[in-house]
Amino acid sequence: MIASHLLAYFFTELNHDQTQKIDKYLYDMRLSEETLQEVSQRFGKEMEKGLGADTNPTASVKMLPTFVRSTPDGTEDGDFLALDLGGTNFRVLRVKVSDNGLQKVEMENQIYAIPEELMRGSGVQLFDHIAECLANFLDKLNIKDKKLPLGFTFSFPCHQTKLDESILVTWTKGFKCSSVEGKDVVSMLRKSIKKRGDFDIDIVAVVNDTVGTMMTCGYDDHNCEVGLIVGTGTNACYMEEMRHIDLVEGDEGRMCINMEWGAFGDDGVLKDIRTEFDHEIDMGSLNPGKQLFEKMISGMYMGELVRLILVKMAKEGLLFGGRLTPDLLTTGHFETRYISAIEKEKEGLQKAHEILTKLGLEPSHEDCVATLRICQIVSTRSANLCGATLAAVLRRIKDNKGVERLRSTVGVDGSVYKKHPHFARRLHKTVRKLLPDCEIRFVRSEDGSGKGAAMVTAVAYRLAAQHKARQKILEALKLSHEQLLEVKQRMRIEMEKGLGKETHAEAVVKMLPTYVCSTPDGTEKGDFLALDLGGTNFRVLLVRVRNGMRRGVEMHNKIYSIPVEIMQGTGEELFDHIVHCISDFLEYMGMKGVSLPLGFTFSFPCQQTSLDEGILLKWTKGFKATGCEGEDVVNLLKEAIHRREEFDLDVVAVVNDTVGTMMTCGYEDPYCEVGLIVGTGSNACYMEEMRNVELVEGEEGRMCINMEWGAFGDNGCLDDIRTEFDLAVDELSLNPGKQRFEKMISGMYLGEIVRNILIDFTKRGLLFRGRISERLKTRGIFETKFLSQIESDCLALLQVRSILQHLGLESTCDDSIIVKEVCAVVARRAAQLCGAGMAAVVDKIRENRGLDFLKVTVGVDGTLYKLHPHFSTVMHETVKQLSPKCEVTFLQSEDGSGKGAALITAVACRIREAGQR
């Protein structure tokens, strides 16, 4: 008993000594964690090089775009064919993908041989043979009459330009067909099929086997965004952000990159970690100096590395008693599968003995232990290096997404990964060590080159079908030039109705006279007060207008809040509060007791009968003060001033904010005769000839008309261009049926239109994988400012995703692109409609004056116009197209409701003084 224990102990010690001896001998092959981190970083830099347009030509890691833009989402459906050509055999497959809640894939396939003479014959013969085998397969399954989509796995180095176009760079793996290199393999296959004429298929995609691996796993695991192959050769692919891929146009979305990472190190970046054995293997290979990384890792070379080490150690008398045999000296005689056998837990040493004996050696126990250790070191290095580069890929994905922790899946295939007893475990361990802040799952791919090709095709089909369905829905929101001209003409008709005495009562565009009869001419001067009441806050301003050399406007203001109880109390309380605020302001400015002319911006619907009289028609925006509707607000203000008996003010003008906008810009630019607001709401005003303003006596001169154009369409004249989404937004608004034009163009509603479209898309399964979140059902959650943010050009899709996440919407990259497109369509239509309205206004001014050509400036204010990245551009273009005889300049107004009111007062005072003179 004790003897056997001693013996066991003796052997363990012996094994330990032998292992240490080998570890020392192969010290350079055992890579520390620091070295692996270093390799990982270098690989990251090589990836950058391959992606850059300037650096790609000299990069060793080519980073080829595959034009595969999306991974499966599980809703793929249909019948597909796949063709797999990558060696001496090729396969034809039929893959049925069904999504009835239970993702299911059924496959049938047939293997066909490629005779030796065809591999060396002409390209035409090769593709004719493939077409014939395809016909045979379709015959057998009785589906020759169907036109099925096909995915083509073509595992040779190719330069891809589209999903269905792939130029063969060079043949490998013993193929030498003439006149194929430099040509598109898809069009060659198409020609061969067309020539036969007995069947037709739709070749949708050419795929590399690595991409197929990622797609196959992606069907079962939607987090899968990396494909890895470690077999005879090695390669990887992953989903990269389009904005980083210089070689392909466009910045939206992602694309799978076929890295061709076997060539890592071909430019010398791995020379410090390559050993003498690596050099020897490279020198003896078919492609010296090429694929150096692959030669350190893949199945084709691993066995050979072990053989070279055994030979060298034997030559140095460290193994086999210094004996060499012809078998051991023959290249390729130590196969990679031997490594897997020798490293098996239980029977490893036994296997080592058998294999070495087969090579004509008489191995001792120590020789077997040493061989086992050599195998472990070679295969561990392979797994570690593979883990280091994979970690670089995953780190890049993590940085691209800007997340704290990355959760991702890697689809893996290849004999080394699948058959070696410890390779997978060691690879996972290295990745975990190098990326402690990531949760990475590894999934073994089943038939990536067959099923994968079909998956790429299925995804391409799904994307095309969904794209078509979405475009059909969005079509209704895209307005043609003819439609916009029609809107312009209708606006013109409604304007005429509003101006006419007979038609004014039933007109929807009210065309209210403002009694502002002149724009600034630059001679205005003096101190003016302005009040601005249009919401829950209220401003008092002192505006100093100078003329002459120091021409300009200097402003001081103070903001006061209006408590809810005052907004909803009595009119007396409201106006007493306003006067109290004016008194406080005058004291603050040290101007108590000074009597100044005052302009009052009162942004509620009013009917004016003179410049200083405005009858409140109805309160809006939450105001409910009693005893005001139907009264003149200037009177109410004057009475409150008298009640206070502290100061006296000369109320000169009541103004609407749109008119204020025109006046502010008119001070800077004498051509400014139009005001436009596109913010929360929308409205416009312009200078009309008095002879056309039938509601006011007098024919001479001009008067500014406050159009109140938001109500355009309330009589049904825009019904043919309103969509189901507009109707839905209108129905749920506070004033159904009213302000229809405003609801199609202004900031208050655009986000709601977008939200309704997104819900419709989701219900149809075209977005968010068909899942409607509770948040998306909430009215008003999609604020218009998000439209501006989402459409901003510098915004990566990443930020679009974070906006959507903030809204509780889990989105994929594709979803983000779709949301961005919907926002663009809705905002573009708004800008075009606004432009059509504007075109009607400027053309009316031109025709009023009998001019062939009009030069005019529009003063503009409003958050949508100022903050949205494309609104103003699209609107300007539309006006230019619809009113070619007008040269329209747009000027952004600064503080139309404050400064504007003061300028109107200044102009009125100037005219009054001139009249007195």
Side-chain angles (χ1 to χ4, degrees):
M1 185 67 189
I2 288 170
S4 68
H5 270 284
L6 272 174
L7 199 61
Y9 174 71
F10 171 68
F11 267 120
T12 314
E13 278 301 295
L14 191 77
N15 289 4
H16 188 61
D17 288 348
Q18 193 65 358
T19 300
Q20 275 188 318
K21 210 162 76 185
I22 299 290
D23 285 358
K24 216 165 173 177
Y25 190 80
L26 293 179
Y27 179 75
D28 288 342
M29 286 192 121
R30 299 174 59 228
L31 306 174
S32 67
E33 200 176 321
E34 290 73 55
T35 307
L36 292 174
Q37 272 298 8
E38 175 62 29
V39 170
S40 194
Q41 263 145 8
R42 285 182 204 172
F43 187 67
K45 289 201 183 90
E46 293 297 309
M47 287 169 74
E48 289 280 344
K49 272 191 207 163
L51 288 169
D54 307 333
T55 44
N56 175 278
T58 55
S60 57
V61 178
K62 279 296 177 208
M63 305 293 281
L64 306 171
T66 64
F67 296 85
V68 170
R69 295 169 189 268
S70 180
T71 51
D73 71 354
T75 65
E76 287 71 21
D77 208 7
D79 221 345
F80 304 95
L81 292 172
L83 201 55
D84 175 16
L85 176 66
T88 47
N89 289 331
F90 82 96
R91 286 188 307 154
V92 184
L93 304 93
R94 177 203 197 171
V95 183
K96 270 184 153 165
V97 187
S98 54
D99 162 49
N100 32 21
L102 312 150
Q103 287 171 223
K104 197 157 106 240
V105 180
E106 298 168 59
M107 302 204 298
E108 297 163 89
N109 72 54
Q110 177 84 33
I111 294 178
Y112 296 92
I114 296 178
E116 189 81 22
E117 62 273 16
L118 277 182
M119 289 170 72
R120 301 193 182 342
S122 77
V124 174
Q125 289 172 318
L126 175 71
F127 285 103
D128 283 352
H129 174 66
I130 292 174
E132 189 173 335
C133 297
L134 203 49
N136 168 284
F137 181 75
L138 296 175
D139 258 339
K140 275 179 62 175
L141 291 180
N142 230 337
I143 48 175
K144 223 172 183 177
D145 53 337
K146 282 188 179 172
K147 183 177 177 179
L148 293 179
L150 176 136
F152 186 9
T153 301
F154 188 72
S155 303
F156 298 92
C158 281
H159 168 61
Q160 223 165 332
T161 41
K162 302 206 278 266
L163 187 57
D164 62 348
E165 183 174 278
S166 201
I167 315 290
L168 175 67
V169 180
T170 52
W171 280 118
T172 53
K173 311 182 196 175
F175 277 77
K176 286 273 184 299
C177 299
S178 59
S179 53
V180 184
E181 292 181 346
K183 295 223 174 92
D184 168 27
V185 295
V186 175
S187 62
M188 292 192 77
L189 179 56
R190 279 185 184 138
K191 271 187 195 134
S192 291
I193 291 172
K194 199 169 175 192
K195 200 160 61 184
R196 295 181 59 87
D198 58 344
F199 70 93
D200 191 14
I201 51 174
D202 178 14
I203 304 174
V204 175
V206 191
V207 200
N208 162 294
D209 51 356
T210 321
V211 182
T213 298
M214 176 187 80
M215 295 298 267
T216 314
C217 295
Y219 185 66
D220 301 312
D221 180 335
H222 304 322
N223 280 329
C224 184
E225 44 195 348
V226 182
L228 167 67
I229 289 186
V230 199
T232 317
T234 180
N235 191 12
C237 68
Y238 73 104
M239 296 301 287
E240 175 59 89
E241 303 288 321
M242 279 292 287
R243 64 176 189 277
H244 297 149
I245 307 173
D246 289 357
L247 302 173
V248 181
E249 285 294 295
D251 286 336
E252 302 279 298
R254 304 197 302 170
M255 182 180 284
C256 178
I257 291 290
N258 163 19
M259 302 170 71
E260 291 294 343
W261 81 3
F264 175 37
D266 289 7
D267 54 358
V269 294
L270 294 178
K271 60 174 184 283
D272 54 338
I273 66 162
R274 290 177 67 225
T275 63
E276 51 180 307
F277 306 110
D278 296 308
H279 286 284
E280 203 175 330
I281 264 209
D282 181 41
M283 297 321 288
S285 69
L286 291 170
N287 52 350
K290 298 262 183 285
Q291 299 292 94
L292 297 183
F293 183 61
E294 180 168 80
K295 285 170 186 166
M296 296 169 80
I297 290 188
S298 80
M300 192 159 173
Y301 306 99
M302 227 189 264
E304 189 58 12
L305 274 172
V306 172
R307 188 187 70 79
L308 293 175
I309 295 166
L310 293 176
V311 169
K312 184 168 193 268
M313 290 186 77
K315 279 183 180 165
E316 290 174 15
L318 300 170
L319 283 177
F320 315 127
R323 265 192 70 223
L324 289 159
T325 65
D327 262 332
L328 185 62
L329 287 167
T330 311
T331 305
H333 268 209
F334 197 97
E335 297 174 41
T336 298
R337 63 192 174 93
Y338 294 169
I339 299 183
S340 299
I342 290 171
E343 284 195 62
K344 281 224 174 82
E345 289 297 337
K346 296 277 188 288
E347 68 262 28
L349 287 173
Q350 171 80 35
K351 275 278 183 259
H353 196 277
E354 281 171 30
I355 288 162
L356 293 170
T357 307
K358 208 163 91 179
L359 293 172
L361 297 157
E362 294 166 8
S364 66
H365 178 72
E366 289 94 320
D367 291 336
C368 293
V369 171
T371 305
L372 166 63
R373 186 62 184 157
I374 292 166
C375 289
Q376 284 173 338
I377 288 174
V378 168
S379 65
T380 300
R381 181 182 73 152
S382 167
N384 285 345
L385 285 171
C386 198
T389 45
L390 184 58
V393 175
L394 292 162
R395 189 177 307 110
R396 186 170 174 85
I397 292 176
K398 177 175 180 288
D399 293 346
N400 281 346
K401 289 189 175 175
V403 289
E404 286 292 310
R405 264 189 97 71
L406 175 71
R407 288 184 54 202
S408 191
T409 300
V410 180
V412 203
D413 204 347
S415 49
V416 173
Y417 183 88
K418 287 183 167 175
K419 294 189 173 147
H420 187 286
H422 309 296
F423 186 92
R425 188 176 48 78
R426 289 176 192 153
L427 170 73
H428 305 167
K429 190 173 162 190
T430 306
V431 172
R432 271 201 295 275
K433 256 205 202 117
L434 298 180
L435 287 181
D437 49 358
C438 297
E439 284 172 53
I440 308 301
R441 215 182 135 214
F442 290 84
V443 175
R444 291 166 67 144
S445 147
E446 297 310 320
D447 189 16
S449 46
K451 184 171 154 188
M455 272 304 149
V456 173
T457 309
V459 169
Y461 245 65
R462 166 176 66 79
L463 292 177
Q466 291 178 335
H467 179 73
K468 204 167 145 192
R470 284 193 300 268
Q471 290 315 313
K472 199 176 156 201
I473 297 167
L474 291 178
E475 210 42 54
L477 290 128
K478 293 179 181 170
L479 302 174
S480 65
H481 181 70
E482 291 67 40
Q483 283 175 302
L484 290 168
L485 264 177
E486 184 58 36
V487 171
K488 173 190 166 184
Q489 275 145 9
R490 291 178 197 172
M491 175 67 92
R492 176 65 183 268
I493 293 168
E494 297 303 317
M495 286 166 74
E496 302 287 359
K497 280 189 197 163
L499 288 169
K501 206 171 193 156
E502 311 293 291
T503 45
H504 176 82
E506 84 263 18
V508 284
V509 179
K510 278 297 176 204
M511 305 295 281
L512 305 170
T514 63
Y515 296 86
V516 170
C517 296
S518 173
T519 51
D521 68 356
T523 64
E524 292 77 14
K525 63 176 198 287
D527 288 0
F528 305 93
L529 274 182
L531 304 184
D532 175 14
L533 177 67
T536 47
N537 287 332
F538 159 71
R539 280 189 312 157
V540 185
L541 305 92
L542 171 68
V543 183
R544 295 203 155 111
V545 183
R546 311 236 184 283
N547 66 357
M549 287 297 288
R550 295 175 47 226
R551 179 170 177 261
V553 176
E554 177 194 323
M555 303 203 295
H556 304 273
N557 73 59
K558 209 169 166 188
I559 296 179
Y560 299 91
S561 71
I562 298 182
V564 176
E565 59 272 17
I566 288 183
M567 283 166 67
Q568 302 181 354
T570 66
E572 277 194 5
E573 288 168 340
L574 174 63
F575 282 92
D576 284 345
H577 177 70
I578 289 172
V579 172
H580 170 72
C581 295
I582 298 172
S583 162
D584 173 82
F585 179 76
L586 290 173
E587 199 164 323
Y588 166 74
M589 292 299 297
M591 297 180 70
K592 259 233 144 134
V594 183
S595 176
L596 290 176
L598 175 139
F600 187 6
T601 300
F602 187 73
S603 302
F604 297 92
C606 278
Q607 188 177 356
Q608 277 184 270
T609 44
S610 67
L611 184 60
D612 61 355
E613 184 180 325
I615 312 281
L616 173 65
L617 297 175
K618 63 171 192 299
W619 281 121
T620 54
K621 309 180 199 177
F623 277 77
K624 290 212 178 66
T626 56
C628 298
E629 291 182 358
E631 297 293 324
D632 171 18
V633 295
V634 177
N635 247 342
L636 296 174
L637 180 64
K638 281 181 178 164
E639 284 167 9
I641 293 172
H642 288 313
R643 281 200 292 277
R644 192 157 179 113
E645 292 181 343
E646 247 181 53
F647 51 84
D648 198 22
L649 294 173
D650 173 14
V651 184
V652 175
V654 188
V655 201
N656 163 293
D657 51 356
T658 320
V659 183
T661 297
M662 177 185 80
M663 294 300 265
T664 313
C665 294
Y667 188 69
E668 308 293 327
D669 179 342
Y671 285 105
C672 182
E673 304 187 69
V674 185
L676 169 67
I677 289 188
V678 204
T680 318
S682 178
N683 193 10
C685 68
Y686 71 103
M687 296 303 287
E688 177 57 90
E689 306 300 313
M690 276 297 287
R691 65 173 186 274
N692 296 334
V693 186
E694 294 183 5
L695 299 176
V696 181
E697 292 296 302
E699 298 286 308
E700 288 305 302
R702 296 178 184 146
M703 181 181 284
C704 177
I705 293 292
N706 163 20
M707 297 173 66
E708 291 293 342
W709 83 358
F712 174 40
D714 287 6
N715 56 358
C717 69
L718 292 178
D719 285 2
D720 55 339
I721 61 163
R722 289 173 76 220
T723 63
E724 51 179 305
F725 309 112
D726 296 305
L727 299 177
V729 169
D730 180 37
E731 256 166 53
L732 290 171
S733 67
L734 293 171
N735 52 351
K738 299 264 181 283
Q739 300 293 92
R740 292 184 192 177
F741 187 57
E742 178 169 84
K743 284 173 188 164
M744 294 166 86
I745 62 177
S746 82
M748 189 159 175
Y749 304 99
L750 295 191
E752 259 314 275
I753 298 175
V754 168
R755 187 181 71 84
N756 277 286
I757 297 173
L758 298 185
I759 285 180
D760 185 69
F761 277 8
T762 311
K763 279 183 182 159
R764 295 171 192 256
L766 304 174
L767 185 64
F768 302 137
R769 294 190 186 154
R771 280 177 272 211
I772 299 190
S773 68
E774 281 308 309
R775 293 275 297 167
L776 191 56
K777 294 181 191 162
T778 318
R779 267 193 66 217
I781 124 178
F782 209 94
E783 296 169 52
T784 298
K785 67 171 181 194
F786 292 145
L787 260 78
S788 299
Q789 288 169 5
I790 284 172
E791 272 202 76
S792 136
D793 293 323
C794 56
L795 247 211
L797 285 171
L798 210 68
Q799 287 140 300
V800 177
R801 278 177 86 166
S802 69
I803 291 173
L804 293 175
Q805 246 156 12
H806 164 77
L807 296 178
L809 304 170
E810 269 310 315
S811 70
T812 62
C813 179
D814 297 333
D815 291 336
S816 308
I817 296 176
I818 294 164
V819 170
K820 196 166 173 175
E821 186 190 7
V822 171
C823 290
V825 168
V826 169
R828 184 177 176 81
R829 182 186 70 152
Q832 286 177 324
L833 286 170
C834 197
M838 211 65 261
V841 173
V842 293
D843 261 331
K844 176 141 181 32
I845 297 176
R846 182 180 64 78
E847 289 170 26
N848 282 346
R849 298 177 193 178
L851 299 171
D852 285 332
F853 189 78
L854 171 75
K855 190 171 164 9
V856 68
T857 298
V858 178
V860 201
D861 203 347
T863 45
L864 190 59
Y865 182 88
K866 288 182 171 176
L867 302 179
H868 190 282
H870 310 300
F871 189 94
S872 54
T873 321
V874 175
M875 185 182 100
H876 301 169
E877 275 168 17
T878 308
V879 174
K880 203 169 166 181
Q881 283 163 2
L882 300 181
S883 297
K885 295 183 178 172
C886 300
E887 184 190 316
V888 186
T889 309
F890 291 86
L891 190 60
Q892 281 200 30
S893 140
E894 296 310 319
D895 191 17
S897 47
K899 187 167 148 187
L903 283 169
I904 289 172
T905 308
V907 170
C909 291
R910 181 196 78 200
I911 291 169
R912 195 162 62 183
E913 281 161 25
Q916 285 161 357
R917 281 208 286 283

